[in-house]
Structure formats: C-alpha cells, structure tokens
Amino acid sequence: MERGDSENGPQKDQLIGHEPIFGLLERSFGSGRMVHAYLLTGPKSVGKATLARQFAGRLMTDTVTLDTHPDYIYVKRGLDPKNGKTRSIIALDQVHDLRGKLSRRALLGGWKVCIIDGAQYMNREASNALLKTLEAVSYTHLR
C-alpha cells in the first residue's frame, strides 16, 4: 500500500481539483439526500475513477477493504472468452450480471455501490439494459 492510501483507496487529499465534487457528495451523504446514481464525466485520466472509489470507500465504512467488500461491484471491460484479450466493449452479459447483483439487498446491511469504469465502452444493448436498471430502481433496497 502506498503512502497516503487507506484500505479503501487513495485519500481525499490526493484528489487534486475534485474538492468541490467530493464536498457535494459528502453533503448529500451527510444530509441523507443521496440519490441512487451519480454520473462522473470529464477528460481521460483526471481522477474520476479515483473519486468514485474514494467516495465508495466513504459509504462502506466497514472493516472490509473495498475490493473485497461483498456490496461493492466494479464493472469494466472484461476479457473476451474466445481470445483472452480485453474486450473493446462493456457487453450486455456484464450489465445483466450487474442487474442481478443490484437486485438483492446489501449483504452487510449498508449501501450497495457499483462503479462502471469506462461506461463509454458499453454497446447499445448494454447501455439500454443499464438505463432500464436505473429507471426501475427499487427504493425498498435503498438505505
């Protein structure tokens, strides 16, 4: 683990230039006004994924590290089963898997967090399936 990192990812002070966004997320959390989805956009390599992981770690304040937390889901372009190389897209099967995981209650009773890293790589079918998932959110599962 590098200096300045916690078990849940980089520390807030490493998010140079993201203080206003992190502050907005913190205020939403503190006031109990979290929404079911946030979209972080911007140029490549400015820290969107780092910010998302940092805030996910903030929501999941258990003793489990973020990457092994049962209520944390990380989606990115996976490996193509045919050739073993990174897929060029986030495919429909990945979103269907995500949908199944999101349909169940949080195992540790807190928040369930999903980060989709590289959502721009979703194909049309995956994008539509994710949109339907977000539109059909079950508020009984939200904390």
Side-chain angles (χ1 to χ4, degrees), residues 75 89-96 98-99 116 118-135:
V75 178
I89 61 168
I90 293 175
L92 181 60
D93 64 318
Q94 291 174 273
V95 175
H96 282 170
L98 170 63
R99 189 175 203 167
I116 302 175
Q120 71 271 19
Y121 295 115
M122 285 190 286
N123 62 18
R124 182 179 305 273
E125 294 82 13
S127 297
N128 287 334
L130 178 64
L131 181 59
K132 287 181 182 182
T133 301
L134 293 174
E135 289 173 340

Side-chain angles (χ1 to χ4, degrees), residues 43-133:
K44 185 177 181 177
S45 300
V46 295
K48 298 177 299 290
T50 302
L51 174 66
R53 284 182 53 82
Q54 175 63 36
F55 194 67
R58 168 73 173 91
L59 291 175
M60 304 177 133
T61 56
D62 301 297
T63 58
V64 180
T65 62
L66 188 58
D67 290 327
T68 60
H69 198 292
D71 298 320
Y72 172 71
I73 308 157
Y74 183 78
V75 178
K76 64 179 183 176
R77 293 182 294 164
L79 295 179
D80 187 328
K82 295 177 185 173
N83 61 22
K85 294 182 180 179
T86 302
R87 289 178 171 174
S88 60
I89 61 168
I90 293 175
L92 181 60
D93 64 318
Q94 291 174 273
V95 175
H96 282 170
D97 182 49
L98 170 63
R99 189 175 203 167
K101 291 175 181 176
L102 291 176
S103 69
R104 295 182 290 275
R105 289 191 178 275
L107 291 172
L108 298 183
W111 293 95
K112 191 172 269 201
V113 175
C114 171
I115 295 175
I116 302 175
D117 193 358
Q120 71 271 19
Y121 295 115
M122 285 190 286
N123 62 18
R124 182 179 305 273
E125 294 82 13
S127 297
N128 287 334
L130 178 64
L131 181 59
K132 287 181 182 182
T133 301

